[in-house]
Amino acid sequence: MNKKEVVYVVSDSVGETAEFVVKAVATQFNGGQVDIRRSSYVEDHEDIEDVIILARQTKSIIAYTIVIQDLKKYLDRRAAEEGIMAVDLLNPLLSAFTKKFDKDPNNQPGMMRKLDDDYFRKIEAIEFAVKYDDGRDPRGVLRADIVLAGVSRTSKTPLSMYLAHKRFKVANVPLVPEVKPPDELFKVPRGKVVGLIISPDKLNEIRKERLKALGLTSQANYASYERILEELDYAEKIMKRVGCPIINVSNKAVEETASQILDILKSERSSN
Protein backbone atom coordinates (compact mmCIF):
# COMPACT_ATOMS: atom_id res chain seq x y z
CA MET A 1 0.00 0.00 0.00
CA ASN A 2 2.23 2.80 -1.32
CA LYS A 3 -0.32 5.58 -1.11
CA LYS A 4 -3.11 6.40 1.30
CA GLU A 5 -6.03 4.46 -0.13
CA VAL A 6 -9.61 5.31 0.69
CA VAL A 7 -11.97 2.82 2.29
CA TYR A 8 -15.61 3.72 2.84
CA VAL A 9 -17.06 2.19 5.98
CA VAL A 10 -20.83 1.90 5.77
CA SER A 11 -23.19 0.83 8.54
CA ASP A 12 -26.85 0.98 9.49
CA SER A 13 -25.56 1.61 13.02
CA VAL A 14 -22.50 3.53 14.28
CA GLY A 15 -19.96 1.66 12.16
CA GLU A 16 -17.33 1.25 14.87
CA THR A 17 -17.06 -2.50 14.30
CA ALA A 18 -16.42 -2.09 10.58
CA GLU A 19 -13.88 0.67 11.16
CA PHE A 20 -12.02 -1.44 13.72
CA VAL A 21 -11.81 -4.39 11.31
CA VAL A 22 -10.61 -2.17 8.46
CA LYS A 23 -7.90 -0.67 10.68
CA ALA A 24 -6.80 -4.12 11.80
CA VAL A 25 -6.47 -5.31 8.20
CA ALA A 26 -4.80 -2.08 7.07
CA THR A 27 -1.97 -2.54 9.59
CA GLN A 28 -0.88 -5.56 7.57
CA PHE A 29 -0.10 -3.31 4.60
CA ASN A 30 2.78 -0.88 5.02
CA GLY A 31 1.76 0.45 8.38
CA GLY A 32 -1.92 0.85 7.69
CA GLN A 33 -1.87 4.04 5.65
CA VAL A 34 -5.55 4.12 4.78
CA ASP A 35 -8.09 6.92 4.78
CA ILE A 36 -11.24 5.59 6.42
CA ARG A 37 -14.39 7.53 5.69
CA ARG A 38 -17.33 6.42 7.75
CA SER A 39 -20.98 6.64 6.73
CA SER A 40 -23.07 5.79 9.77
CA TYR A 41 -26.79 5.14 10.26
CA VAL A 42 -27.61 4.61 6.58
CA GLU A 43 -31.35 4.13 6.41
CA ASP A 44 -32.40 4.30 2.77
CA HIS A 45 -31.20 3.73 -0.80
CA GLU A 46 -30.32 7.40 -1.18
CA ASP A 47 -27.75 7.16 1.63
CA ILE A 48 -26.13 4.19 -0.05
CA GLU A 49 -26.21 5.87 -3.45
CA ASP A 50 -24.19 8.78 -2.03
CA VAL A 51 -21.47 6.36 -0.93
CA ILE A 52 -21.53 4.51 -4.25
CA ILE A 53 -20.89 7.76 -6.13
CA LEU A 54 -17.98 8.71 -3.88
CA ALA A 55 -16.44 5.24 -3.96
CA ARG A 56 -16.68 5.14 -7.76
CA GLN A 57 -14.94 8.51 -8.08
CA THR A 58 -12.06 7.50 -5.80
CA LYS A 59 -11.93 3.85 -6.92
CA SER A 60 -12.30 2.80 -3.31
CA ILE A 61 -13.30 -0.28 -1.37
CA ILE A 62 -16.54 -0.29 0.58
CA ALA A 63 -16.50 -2.26 3.84
CA TYR A 64 -19.87 -2.56 5.46
CA THR A 65 -21.81 -3.91 8.43
CA ILE A 66 -25.44 -3.75 7.36
CA VAL A 67 -28.03 -6.14 8.78
CA ILE A 68 -31.13 -4.61 7.20
CA GLN A 69 -31.54 -6.97 4.28
CA ASP A 70 -33.09 -4.50 1.82
CA LEU A 71 -30.19 -2.09 2.26
CA LYS A 72 -27.59 -4.87 2.05
CA LYS A 73 -29.03 -6.22 -1.21
CA TYR A 74 -29.20 -2.73 -2.70
CA LEU A 75 -25.57 -2.01 -1.78
CA ASP A 76 -24.39 -5.35 -3.19
CA ARG A 77 -26.27 -4.78 -6.44
CA ARG A 78 -25.17 -1.19 -6.98
CA ALA A 79 -21.55 -1.97 -6.12
CA ALA A 80 -21.55 -4.82 -8.65
CA GLU A 81 -23.07 -2.56 -11.31
CA GLU A 82 -20.42 0.10 -10.74
CA GLY A 83 -17.53 -2.33 -10.47
CA ILE A 84 -16.84 -1.38 -6.85
CA MET A 85 -15.41 -3.91 -4.43
CA ALA A 86 -17.86 -4.13 -1.50
CA VAL A 87 -17.02 -6.38 1.43
CA ASP A 88 -19.69 -7.62 3.84
CA LEU A 89 -17.93 -7.96 7.20
CA LEU A 90 -20.81 -9.63 9.01
CA ASN A 91 -22.42 -12.09 6.62
CA PRO A 92 -19.87 -14.95 6.81
CA LEU A 93 -20.17 -15.13 10.59
CA LEU A 94 -23.92 -14.56 10.56
CA SER A 95 -24.27 -17.48 8.14
CA ALA A 96 -22.09 -19.67 10.35
CA PHE A 97 -24.20 -18.82 13.40
CA THR A 98 -27.41 -19.53 11.45
CA LYS A 99 -26.17 -22.96 10.42
CA LYS A 100 -24.73 -23.82 13.82
CA PHE A 101 -27.68 -22.69 15.94
CA ASP A 102 -30.41 -23.32 13.35
CA LYS A 103 -31.80 -19.89 14.05
CA ASP A 104 -32.17 -16.74 11.97
CA PRO A 105 -30.55 -13.47 13.14
CA ASN A 106 -32.70 -10.56 14.35
CA ASN A 107 -31.34 -8.29 11.61
CA GLN A 108 -31.69 -5.29 13.90
CA PRO A 109 -29.03 -2.58 13.68
CA GLY A 110 -27.39 -1.18 16.80
CA MET A 111 -27.63 -4.34 18.94
CA MET A 112 -23.97 -4.12 19.95
CA ARG A 113 -24.45 -0.52 21.05
CA LYS A 114 -27.38 -1.61 23.20
CA LEU A 115 -25.18 -4.26 24.83
CA ASP A 116 -22.43 -1.70 25.40
CA ASP A 117 -24.87 0.74 26.98
CA ASP A 118 -26.15 -2.00 29.26
CA TYR A 119 -22.59 -2.86 30.29
CA PHE A 120 -21.67 0.74 31.04
CA ARG A 121 -24.85 1.26 33.07
CA LYS A 122 -23.80 -1.70 35.20
CA ILE A 123 -20.29 -0.32 35.69
CA GLU A 124 -21.71 3.09 36.58
CA ALA A 125 -24.04 1.50 39.15
CA ILE A 126 -21.17 -0.47 40.71
CA GLU A 127 -19.02 2.65 40.97
CA PHE A 128 -21.97 4.46 42.55
CA ALA A 129 -22.43 1.71 45.15
CA VAL A 130 -18.76 1.87 46.09
CA LYS A 131 -18.72 5.67 46.29
CA TYR A 132 -21.83 5.91 48.44
CA ASP A 133 -21.30 2.84 50.59
CA ASP A 134 -21.79 3.07 54.36
CA GLY A 135 -22.99 6.70 54.32
CA ARG A 136 -19.65 8.07 53.07
CA ASP A 137 -21.30 10.89 51.17
CA PRO A 138 -24.95 11.75 51.97
CA ARG A 139 -25.35 13.44 48.59
CA GLY A 140 -25.63 9.99 47.06
CA VAL A 141 -28.82 9.35 49.00
CA LEU A 142 -30.75 11.81 46.83
CA ARG A 143 -29.20 10.49 43.60
CA ALA A 144 -29.80 6.81 44.29
CA ASP A 145 -32.44 4.55 42.76
CA ILE A 146 -32.58 2.65 46.06
CA VAL A 147 -31.47 3.63 49.56
CA LEU A 148 -30.82 0.94 52.16
CA ALA A 149 -30.82 1.83 55.85
CA GLY A 150 -29.95 -0.42 58.76
CA VAL A 151 -27.57 -1.28 61.57
CA SER A 152 -24.16 -2.77 60.97
CA ARG A 153 -24.11 -6.35 59.57
CA THR A 154 -27.53 -6.31 57.93
CA SER A 155 -25.97 -6.99 54.50
CA LYS A 156 -26.24 -3.39 53.28
CA THR A 157 -23.01 -3.51 51.27
CA PRO A 158 -23.51 -6.97 49.69
CA LEU A 159 -27.05 -5.97 48.76
CA SER A 160 -25.82 -2.69 47.25
CA MET A 161 -23.32 -4.54 45.06
CA TYR A 162 -25.80 -7.24 44.08
CA LEU A 163 -28.36 -4.64 43.01
CA ALA A 164 -25.66 -2.63 41.23
CA HIS A 165 -25.03 -5.65 39.00
CA LYS A 166 -28.68 -5.35 38.07
CA ARG A 167 -27.97 -1.72 37.12
CA PHE A 168 -29.57 -0.03 40.13
CA LYS A 169 -27.71 2.83 41.80
CA VAL A 170 -27.78 2.05 45.50
CA ALA A 171 -26.66 4.12 48.49
CA ASN A 172 -26.68 2.69 51.97
CA VAL A 173 -26.89 4.46 55.30
CA PRO A 174 -25.72 2.95 58.61
CA LEU A 175 -27.99 3.68 61.55
CA VAL A 176 -25.97 4.20 64.73
CA PRO A 177 -27.40 5.77 67.91
CA GLU A 178 -24.41 8.08 68.35
CA VAL A 179 -24.56 9.40 64.78
CA LYS A 180 -27.42 11.52 63.51
CA PRO A 181 -28.68 10.15 60.17
CA PRO A 182 -28.17 12.49 57.20
CA ASP A 183 -30.97 14.97 56.53
CA GLU A 184 -31.11 13.61 52.98
CA LEU A 185 -32.56 10.33 54.27
CA PHE A 186 -35.78 12.14 55.21
CA LYS A 187 -36.00 13.91 51.85
CA VAL A 188 -35.92 10.81 49.66
CA PRO A 189 -39.27 9.68 48.19
CA ARG A 190 -40.57 6.99 50.53
CA GLY A 191 -40.71 4.34 47.81
CA LYS A 192 -36.94 4.52 47.32
CA VAL A 193 -35.91 3.74 50.91
CA VAL A 194 -35.89 0.25 52.40
CA GLY A 195 -35.08 -0.43 56.04
CA LEU A 196 -33.18 -3.60 56.98
CA ILE A 197 -33.63 -5.22 60.38
CA ILE A 198 -32.44 -8.52 61.84
CA SER A 199 -33.21 -10.61 64.91
CA PRO A 200 -31.04 -9.81 67.96
CA ASP A 201 -29.86 -13.43 68.23
CA LYS A 202 -28.76 -13.58 64.61
CA LEU A 203 -27.02 -10.22 64.80
CA ASN A 204 -25.24 -11.27 67.98
CA GLU A 205 -24.00 -14.41 66.22
CA ILE A 206 -22.84 -12.53 63.13
CA ARG A 207 -21.05 -9.84 65.11
CA LYS A 208 -19.23 -12.35 67.28
CA GLU A 209 -17.97 -14.09 64.14
CA ARG A 210 -16.91 -10.75 62.73
CA LEU A 211 -14.92 -9.90 65.86
CA LYS A 212 -13.31 -13.34 65.81
CA ALA A 213 -12.24 -12.82 62.18
CA LEU A 214 -10.65 -9.53 63.20
CA GLY A 215 -8.81 -11.20 66.07
CA LEU A 216 -10.81 -9.35 68.72
CA THR A 217 -12.62 -10.64 71.78
CA SER A 218 -16.27 -11.52 71.32
CA GLN A 219 -17.02 -9.71 74.58
CA ALA A 220 -16.57 -6.31 72.89
CA ASN A 221 -19.49 -3.89 73.20
CA TYR A 222 -20.11 -4.22 69.42
CA ALA A 223 -21.46 -7.74 69.94
CA SER A 224 -23.08 -7.29 73.35
CA TYR A 225 -26.76 -8.10 73.52
CA GLU A 226 -27.57 -4.83 75.27
CA ARG A 227 -25.82 -2.82 72.57
CA ILE A 228 -27.57 -4.75 69.80
CA LEU A 229 -31.01 -4.15 71.30
CA GLU A 230 -30.21 -0.45 71.63
CA GLU A 231 -29.14 -0.20 67.98
CA LEU A 232 -32.14 -2.13 66.65
CA ASP A 233 -34.54 -0.03 68.68
CA TYR A 234 -32.93 3.17 67.43
CA ALA A 235 -32.93 1.94 63.81
CA GLU A 236 -36.62 1.05 63.89
CA LYS A 237 -37.48 4.50 65.25
CA ILE A 238 -35.60 6.13 62.35
CA MET A 239 -37.30 3.85 59.82
CA LYS A 240 -40.70 4.77 61.22
CA ARG A 241 -39.82 8.45 60.86
CA VAL A 242 -38.83 7.85 57.25
CA GLY A 243 -41.96 5.79 56.70
CA CYS A 244 -40.16 3.19 54.62
CA PRO A 245 -40.94 -0.50 54.18
CA ILE A 246 -38.87 -2.79 56.39
CA ILE A 247 -37.36 -6.18 55.55
CA ASN A 248 -36.15 -8.64 58.16
CA VAL A 249 -32.94 -10.12 56.71
CA SER A 250 -32.52 -12.82 59.38
CA ASN A 251 -31.55 -16.10 57.69
CA LYS A 252 -32.15 -14.64 54.23
CA ALA A 253 -29.73 -14.96 51.35
CA VAL A 254 -28.68 -11.72 49.65
CA GLU A 255 -30.52 -12.81 46.48
CA GLU A 256 -33.77 -13.35 48.39
CA THR A 257 -33.60 -9.97 50.11
CA ALA A 258 -32.71 -8.24 46.84
CA SER A 259 -35.73 -9.82 45.18
CA GLN A 260 -37.96 -8.47 47.95
CA ILE A 261 -36.43 -5.01 47.58
CA LEU A 262 -37.11 -4.99 43.84
CA ASP A 263 -40.68 -6.18 44.42
CA ILE A 264 -41.19 -3.29 46.86
CA LEU A 265 -39.68 -0.82 44.39
CA LYS A 266 -41.91 -2.10 41.60
CA SER A 267 -44.99 -1.96 43.82
CA GLU A 268 -44.25 1.62 44.91
CA ARG A 269 -43.74 2.77 41.32
CA SER A 270 -46.96 1.18 40.09
CA SER A 271 -48.95 2.82 42.91
CA ASN A 272 -47.64 6.32 42.09
Side-chain angles (χ1 to χ4, degrees):
M1 201 178 287
N2 298 318
K3 64 177 181 176
K4 203 165 188 179
E5 302 286 356
V6 176
V7 176
Y8 285 92
V9 166
V10 183
S11 177
D12 46 18
S13 185
V14 180
E16 288 178 340
T17 301
E19 183 171 341
F20 181 82
V21 172
V22 169
K23 285 180 178 178
V25 171
T27 58
Q28 302 299 315
F29 298 88
N30 296 334
Q33 295 300 308
V34 60
D35 181 6
I36 299 175
R37 301 178 186 177
R38 194 197 297 185
S39 181
S40 304
Y41 300 111
V42 296
E43 56 184 24
D44 53 37
H45 294 179
E46 187 176 340
D47 290 337
I48 290 176
E49 199 62 39
D50 291 340
V51 178
I52 291 290
I53 293 169
L54 293 170
R56 182 182 61 200
Q57 292 172 347
T58 54
K59 297 180 181 179
S60 304
I61 295 173
I62 295 176
Y64 68 88
T65 51
I66 294 178
V67 296
I68 299 175
Q69 290 301 297
D70 175 60
L71 297 180
K72 170 184 159 44
K73 290 176 181 177
Y74 185 82
L75 175 53
D76 286 339
R77 179 172 65 79
R78 290 292 293 120
E81 290 172 355
E82 298 293 343
I84 299 169
M85 186 179 295
V87 182
D88 184 343
L89 300 177
L90 292 181
N91 192 60
L93 196 53
L94 281 170
S95 297
F97 271 52
T98 299
K99 289 178 183 177
K100 178 65 177 177
F101 303 124
D102 192 27
K103 186 177 180 181
D104 292 329
N106 292 326
N107 291 328
Q108 294 179 13
M111 295 299 289
M112 188 65 184
R113 173 61 58 181
K114 290 178 183 177
L115 289 174
D116 285 347
D117 289 345
D118 187 63
Y119 171 78
F120 286 117
R121 280 199 300 272
K122 182 194 292 186
I123 296 301
E124 184 180 5
I126 292 170
E127 290 176 345
F128 187 95
V130 171
K131 183 175 182 179
Y132 298 111
D133 181 46
D134 209 29
R136 289 177 188 167
D137 185 343
R139 291 176 297 180
V141 171
L142 295 176
R143 295 178 52 207
D145 299 317
I146 303 169
V147 179
L148 304 178
V151 301
S152 173
R153 316 315 294 176
T154 48
S155 299
K156 296 188 300 300
T157 297
L159 281 166
S160 295
M161 296 307 297
Y162 183 89
L163 291 165
H165 277 81
K166 293 185 175 294
R167 292 162 293 283
F168 290 96
K169 293 180 179 179
V170 185
N172 70 73
V173 178
L175 299 179
V176 185
E178 293 79 14
V179 180
K180 180 185 174 184
D183 293 336
E184 288 82 355
L185 183 61
F186 303 99
K187 298 176 183 177
V188 183
R190 190 167 59 181
K192 286 189 175 184
V193 184
V194 176
L196 304 176
I197 60 169
I198 188 170
S199 72
D201 289 338
K202 186 64 179 177
L203 187 54
N204 177 253
E205 178 187 329
I206 292 171
R207 288 190 174 182
K208 281 183 177 179
E209 287 299 317
R210 176 63 175 164
L211 289 172
K212 190 184 298 182
L214 294 173
L216 301 172
T217 173
S218 60
Q219 303 305 312
N221 187 48
Y222 176 70
S224 75
Y225 218 81
E226 185 180 350
R227 172 64 183 183
I228 285 171
L229 291 174
E230 180 188 0
E231 287 188 32
L232 290 174
D233 182 60
Y234 173 77
E236 289 196 45
K237 287 177 181 177
I238 296 297
M239 292 172 196
K240 287 177 181 177
R241 277 184 59 196
V242 174
C244 63
I246 298 172
I247 296 176
N248 190 324
V249 302
S250 305
N251 301 312
K252 279 191 174 74
V254 167
E255 295 83 356
E256 185 181 356
T257 305
S259 179
Q260 278 190 259
I261 291 169
L262 294 179
D263 285 344
I264 288 170
L265 192 68
K266 184 178 179 181
S267 175
E268 290 289 341
R269 283 178 176 173
S270 62
S271 63
N272 291 335

